[in-house]
Structure formats: C-alpha cells, structure tokens
Amino acid sequence: MRNKICCLFLLVLPVAFTHAQTNQIDSLKTLLQTEKNDSARADLFNKLSFAYSKSKPDTALLLAQQGLSLAKRDGFPYVECRCLDVIGTIFNNT
C-alpha cells in the first residue's frame, strides 16, 4: 500500500511543477509587456528565458539574446552576466 502511494505521488509531482511553471511564464510575459524601465526589461528577459530553458530552449535562447543586447546597449553589466549565464545553461542543456 505504501509503495502505491509513493508511486502515485511521484507521478503527480511533475504535473504540479509544470502548472507552476506555466503561471510563472504568464506573469513574466505580462510584466514584460508593461515594464518601461530598460534594466528591468532586460532582467525580465533573463528570467523568462530561464523559465523556458528546459521546455523550449530555442525560445529561451532568443529571449536571453534580447536581454543581453538590451543590457549591453544600456550598460547593465550585472544583467549582462546573468543573460550570458542563461545562454551557457541553454547550450549545456542542449
């Protein structure tokens, strides 16, 4: 009986994480559409690309590159480093 409960828990657990990931992506997209500050937009591109890095690496790479170019253009070295980190993670995963 205990093994059945453990197996059921392990089957349901990934579904819960997938639903939470979708909510996070939706909220980041909404924030990105309304944000006017360039440094905050670059950071949102970075966060959104990290959220997509496992499920859609091609989309994640494009978003990270957009964040990187915005951070380079406006001189935000911290966000620039974080975008490069996500790009490296995407290449490592693929």
Side-chain angles (χ1 to χ4, degrees), residues 29-64:
K29 283 182 180 179
T30 303
L31 287 172
L32 187 60
Q33 290 173 351
T34 59
E35 186 60 52
K36 303 291 185 217
N37 186 357
D38 284 343
S39 64
R41 285 182 57 81
D43 191 44
L44 286 171
F45 274 121
N46 177 54
K47 290 178 181 177
L48 190 57
S49 67
F50 185 74
Y52 273 123
S53 65
K54 297 271 188 199
S55 61
K56 296 182 180 178
D58 54 340
T59 304
L61 186 59
L62 290 173
L63 291 168

Side-chain angles (χ1 to χ4, degrees), residues 3-4 6 8 13-14 21 24-25 30 32 42 48 57-58 61 71-72 76 78 80 92 94:
N3 288 339
K4 288 181 182 180
C6 288
L8 181 63
L13 191 63
Q21 189 76 10
Q24 180 188 14
I25 289 172
T30 303
L32 187 60
L48 190 57
D58 54 340
L61 186 59
K72 277 185 177 181
F76 303 119
Y78 178 71
E80 192 176 329
N92 187 38
T94 56

